[in-house]
């Protein structure tokens, strides 16, 4: 009996010590850091691996060091040109100093999310709608830099900010569609005008080249007749260009002479005194 009590007296303290030892065992994974407090005072960090804390004396807060993707809820924003839009975004950040994330801020996830919302409204309120739609990369960098500067005392690194969706009012969507349509029409008219200008220049150059040798004009005339006949069944009576030139010259002379005679006749009538008048 004495041996039994003696064995129990040895095993009970040993079991208590073993339970105390197990209560102080902590396993820190590779992507975590442990912030250790001893009687309420910060004493250091525990890296990945097997760690043991003094039971009832030390306490450890585990902080995840992986990148966190946090959605920013849709925010009602009024741009600098007084257009009301609804914008949402996503923020990518990670803890790089676990001790600051515990000691400097109560809840770093909530604080970063709220700061992202206010920063998004502040930055987008300083730009116009056209800049918001076309300069998305610059705006993302600006928001990221502002967030990173404000969260640096908390031991948080903001790696990226992306504006995901911009919800425009229906009236503004229609106005943008009309503006885009007008811009496309303007470009089409400019391109057509430039084409006409270039075509006129080329035709002028071609006319200069053809005028240097009359035979080239005859060859061009024959080529045009060939092109016309390839389109279908056509009956063409070729007329030499010399005959056309002679006819045109004769018509010009006859027309010019008739106009001169009519003008002379009118002049004579104007010079003659009216019938029954006094001279």
């Amino acid at each position: 009996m004495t041996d039994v009590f003696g064995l129990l007296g040895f095993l009970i303290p040993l079991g208590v010590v073993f339970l105390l030892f197990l209560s102080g065992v902590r396993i820190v994974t590779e992507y975590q850091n442990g912030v250790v407090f001893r009687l309420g005072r910060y004493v250091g960090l525990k890296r990945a691996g097997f760690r043991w804390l003094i039971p009832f004396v030390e306490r450890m807060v585990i902080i995840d060091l992986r990148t966190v993707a946090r959605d920013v809820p849709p925010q009602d924003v009024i741009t600098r040109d007084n257009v009301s839009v609804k914008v949402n975004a996503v923020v990518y950040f990670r803890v790089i100093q676990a001790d600051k994330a515990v000691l400097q801020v109560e809840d770093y996830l909530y604080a970063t999310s709220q700061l992202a919302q206010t920063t998004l409204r502040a930055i987008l309120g300083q730009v116009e709608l056209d800049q918001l739609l076309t300069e998305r990369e610059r705006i993302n960098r600006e928001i990221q830099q502002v967030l990173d500067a404000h969260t640096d005392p908390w031991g948080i690194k903001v790696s990226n900010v992306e504006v995901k969706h911009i919800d425009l009012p229906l009236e503004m969507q229609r106005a943008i569609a009309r503006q885009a349509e007008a811009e496309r029409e303007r470009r089409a008219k400019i391109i057509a005008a430039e084409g006409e200008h270039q075509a006129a220049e080329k035709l002028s150059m071609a006319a200069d080249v053809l005028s240097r040798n009359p035979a080239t004009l005859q060859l061009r005339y024959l080529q045009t007749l060939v092109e016309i006949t390839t389109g279908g069944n056509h009956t063409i009576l070729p007329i030499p260009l010399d005959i056309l030139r002679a006819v045109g010259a004769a018509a010009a002379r006859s027309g010019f002479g008739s106009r001169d005679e009519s003008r002379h006749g009118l002049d004579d009538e104007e010079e003659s005194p009216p019938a029954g008048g006094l001279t």
Side-chain angles (χ1 to χ4, degrees):
M1 186 63 69
T2 304
D3 295 337
V4 174
F5 283 111
L7 183 59
L8 291 176
F10 174 75
L11 292 178
I12 290 175
L14 185 61
V16 172
V17 172
F18 182 72
L19 291 176
L20 289 175
F21 175 79
L22 289 180
S23 64
V25 173
R26 297 291 186 274
I27 302 298
V28 182
T29 56
E30 187 66 31
Y31 55 85
Q32 293 176 338
N33 272 355
V35 183
V36 180
F37 295 91
R38 181 177 299 158
L39 298 177
R41 291 182 60 86
Y42 168 71
V43 294
L45 292 175
K46 296 293 185 181
R47 307 295 179 180
F50 177 85
R51 295 291 180 262
W52 186 78
L53 304 178
I54 301 175
F56 309 109
V57 176
E58 292 182 342
R59 181 176 65 90
M60 185 168 63
V61 179
I62 300 295
I63 298 297
D64 197 326
L65 302 181
R66 293 176 294 182
T67 300
V68 179
R70 181 70 56 155
D71 276 329
V72 179
Q75 303 294 311
D76 291 324
V77 178
I78 299 178
T79 60
R80 192 170 65 179
D81 50 351
N82 296 324
V83 178
S84 178
V85 295
K86 184 171 291 187
V87 183
N88 63 344
V90 59
V91 182
Y92 298 90
F93 62 93
R94 61 187 294 264
V95 177
I96 57 176
Q97 292 178 303
D99 52 348
K100 289 185 177 181
V102 175
L103 299 175
Q104 301 297 329
V105 62
E106 180 182 2
D107 187 348
Y108 69 91
L109 292 175
Y110 177 77
T112 304
S113 177
Q114 293 298 313
L115 183 61
Q117 296 179 31
T118 56
T119 304
L120 183 67
R121 289 195 298 267
I123 297 298
L124 297 186
Q126 299 174 3
V127 299
E128 296 182 356
L129 180 61
D130 292 339
Q131 295 176 339
L132 179 59
L133 297 175
T134 59
E135 301 179 7
R136 189 83 61 88
E137 294 295 331
R138 181 186 65 82
I139 294 174
N140 291 339
R141 288 196 304 270
E142 188 173 353
I143 297 175
Q144 182 265 331
Q145 292 172 0
V146 173
L147 278 177
D148 192 31
H150 283 82
T151 57
D152 185 67
W154 304 341
I156 296 174
K157 173 64 178 178
V158 179
S159 58
N160 194 15
V161 177
E162 292 290 341
V163 176
K164 294 196 301 183
H165 180 69
I166 301 173
D167 189 8
L168 295 174
L170 185 59
E171 295 79 7
M172 185 55 60
Q173 294 179 12
R174 293 173 180 172
I176 292 176
R178 289 195 300 269
Q179 180 182 1
E181 184 178 358
E183 179 66 20
R184 287 193 296 269
E185 290 180 356
R186 183 184 69 86
R187 292 179 182 177
K189 291 180 180 178
I190 291 175
I191 293 173
E194 290 179 351
E196 292 292 337
H197 183 265
Q198 294 176 2
E201 289 181 349
K202 296 299 181 182
L203 288 174
S204 177
M205 295 172 60
D208 293 338
V209 174
L210 292 175
S211 64
R212 296 173 188 173
N213 191 351
T216 58
L217 185 60
Q218 182 72 24
L219 292 175
R220 182 58 182 166
Y221 173 67
L222 295 176
Q223 184 180 2
T224 302
L225 294 179
V226 171
E227 292 177 355
I228 294 174
T229 56
T230 57
N233 295 325
H234 300 281
T235 302
I236 297 177
L237 298 176
I239 301 175
L241 290 179
D242 295 336
I243 297 177
L244 293 177
R245 292 196 189 98
V247 172
R253 285 195 300 270
S254 62
F256 180 75
S258 62
R259 287 195 298 269
D260 290 343
E261 292 175 357
S262 61
R263 181 170 295 276
H264 287 304
L266 291 174
D267 292 340
D268 294 340
E269 290 179 359
E270 290 177 356
E271 292 177 356
S272 63
L278 296 176
T279 57

